[in-house]
Amino acid sequence: MQFSLFLHMERYHEHESHRQLFAELCELVRIAEAGGFRTAWIGEHHGMQFTSSPSPTAQLAYLAAKTERIRLGAGTFVAPFWDPIRLAGEAAMLDVISDGRLEFGIARGAYQFEFDRLADGMSAADGGQALREMVPAIRSLWQGDYAHQGDVYRFPVTTSVPKPLQATLPPIWIAARDPNSHDFAVKNGCNVMVTALMKGDEEVADLAHKFDAACANHPDMPRPDLMLLRHTFVHEESDPEGWRKGAEALNLFYRYFLAWFKNDQQAVDGFFEPVPEEAVADNPEFALESLRRNMMIGTPGELVDRLKNYERLGITEYSFWTDNTLPFNEKKRSLELFINEVMPHFR
């Protein structure tokens, strides 16, 4: 099993500096590279302070100059917000800048808040068609001259300038949940990234089974990689109550997440208030014990056992998701514990 880092600049208060948050993000990536992580992933979000990330390419280009080995992943570009020609060229330039370290992740998008502002109010549920046209278009543009006449995109013959440095082209990853998304990814020779969000390991198993079914549907295609993204918080064996800090932080994170997903507030300078605790009091997924059980929260030994199970399910890459509302020093401590006491069991 390979390991990767998934992170954003999380900003919840006006006094927090984006410059400082970016410096902290870079430090976590430096630690991950030194610790043997395969990839650092940064996603795309717009107008949302709690995931301040309008341009993965800009952040990853900077990191390309500050790192040597770690691969650099866009996790993920939101297909409906892009033109294929522009995205192909920008991604290829990042591959050139990083000396061939690009991992290209793409998704249909999720937050209606963003679609209302970047996609002329398109329903977030309708982003899949853009994704399905974007993937073959990007790959064709990377290879040479290509024209496209689709339902979403239309353009005459053109090509990606520059071309990616990787001779076999950057790996393409598709964020998938439903069986059709898994099937599309495998059929088109793409790797798959999944997340169980607030659900437990039974959801992870279900996602792995959907992936297996898609692979079985396309026996002529090489089996892609399957990456699992999970919020991760490691605490010391000597602190049996250490899990509470992680669970409380993720309870708050998902109350922010729910607020943005519901999209029923007026954002003020990119901030939403989190859904109040009392509003989720009857939702068992928000209970601290449930978060402890469902998220990757625990001691190094507990996480090793769960990761071994993920490995048996066919997960080839585990992505340590840092977003959790905790301050930098807590994220750093958790990441270093993971590197020093969890990862050696997988080498």
Side-chain angles (χ1 to χ4, degrees):
M1 180 183 283
Q2 299 284 337
F3 294 95
S4 59
L5 190 69
F6 190 94
L7 70 173
H8 297 105
M9 293 187 289
E10 292 181 79
R11 187 169 186 250
Y12 300 100
H13 308 286
E14 290 183 349
H15 68 267
E16 294 172 316
S17 158
H18 279 116
R19 187 67 192 90
Q20 180 62 33
L21 292 172
F22 183 64
E24 293 170 355
L25 179 149
C26 293
E27 176 66 6
L28 292 176
V29 172
R30 186 197 65 78
I31 293 168
E33 179 177 57
F37 276 59
R38 177 182 179 273
T39 307
W41 297 92
I42 299 176
E44 175 186 5
H45 291 289
H46 299 274
M48 306 164 67
Q49 296 275 11
F50 102 121
T51 48
S52 301
S53 192
S55 177
T57 51
Q59 296 176 80
L60 295 171
Y62 180 90
L63 287 166
K66 300 296 181 179
T67 58
E68 297 179 357
R69 300 177 307 279
I70 197 166
R71 295 185 65 80
L72 303 169
T76 55
F77 292 115
V78 182
F81 302 164
W82 284 89
D83 171 87
I85 300 168
R86 182 169 185 174
L87 182 54
E90 289 202 19
M93 179 61 78
L94 179 56
D95 199 49
V96 171
I97 290 170
S98 66
D99 198 25
R101 286 187 278 156
L102 171 65
E103 300 279 324
F104 182 92
I106 191 163
R108 71 179 191 180
Y111 291 106
Q112 190 61 48
F113 176 90
E114 294 179 294
F115 277 76
D116 289 344
R117 290 154 180 80
L118 281 87
D120 196 28
M122 173 197 297
S123 170
D126 295 334
Q129 182 59 36
L131 170 65
R132 288 187 290 273
E133 287 191 27
M134 182 74 78
V135 169
I138 292 287
R139 188 174 278 146
S140 297
L141 288 163
W142 281 344
Q143 292 173 317
D145 283 336
Y146 173 72
H148 186 87
Q149 294 294 316
D151 294 329
V152 180
Y153 304 110
R154 297 185 179 191
F155 52 84
V157 172
T158 187
T159 191
S160 170
V161 178
K163 299 291 188 296
L165 188 64
Q166 295 178 70
T168 56
L169 303 183
I172 296 179
W173 295 76
I174 292 180
R177 288 195 61 81
D178 64 79
N180 290 336
S181 298
H182 284 267
D183 195 78
F184 174 83
V186 175
K187 181 179 179 180
N188 285 273
C190 300
N191 298 321
V192 174
M193 53 175 67
V194 298
T195 179
L197 294 176
M198 297 184 75
K199 299 186 182 301
D201 286 352
E202 68 284 350
E203 177 75 3
V204 177
D206 183 62
L207 290 165
H209 294 153
K210 289 174 182 174
F211 175 77
D212 288 339
C215 292
N217 289 340
H218 301 283
D220 54 321
M221 298 297 296
R223 186 179 179 88
D225 283 325
L226 176 62
M227 183 181 85
L228 173 64
L229 168 64
R230 296 231 78 175
H231 294 280
T232 308
F233 178 78
V234 195
H235 65 88
E236 292 82 356
E237 302 274 358
S238 60
D239 183 10
E241 292 297 304
W243 64 270
R244 289 188 177 276
K245 183 179 292 182
E248 289 168 354
L250 284 168
N251 173 284
L252 179 58
F253 175 87
Y254 271 104
R255 287 193 285 116
Y256 275 108
F257 175 90
L258 184 57
W260 283 101
F261 201 79
K262 288 173 65 178
N263 193 30
D264 60 1
Q265 298 182 37
Q266 175 62 53
V268 178
D269 197 28
F271 291 106
F272 267 6
E273 291 297 320
V275 170
E277 288 186 87
E278 56 270 22
V280 297
D282 293 333
N283 186 332
E285 290 186 339
F286 282 84
L288 296 188
E289 285 285 357
S290 177
L291 288 163
R292 178 190 189 185
R293 182 174 60 253
N294 290 347
M295 303 289 103
M296 284 291 276
I297 298 173
T299 65
E302 290 169 338
L303 266 60
V304 167
D305 289 343
R306 291 182 67 186
L307 286 165
K308 291 289 186 181
N309 182 52
Y310 293 162
E311 199 170 42
R312 286 189 289 270
L313 287 171
I315 307 296
T316 58
E317 180 169 325
Y318 178 81
S319 195
F320 183 119
W321 191 356
T322 68
D323 296 2
N324 58 19
T325 73
L326 285 171
F328 170 72
N329 64 317
E330 291 290 348
K331 292 183 178 182
K332 179 180 177 182
R333 182 194 57 77
S334 174
L335 178 60
E336 289 175 337
L337 267 175
F338 188 88
I339 289 169
N340 295 330
E341 300 188 28
V342 175
M343 287 175 62
H345 292 269
F346 297 87
R347 290 175 177 149

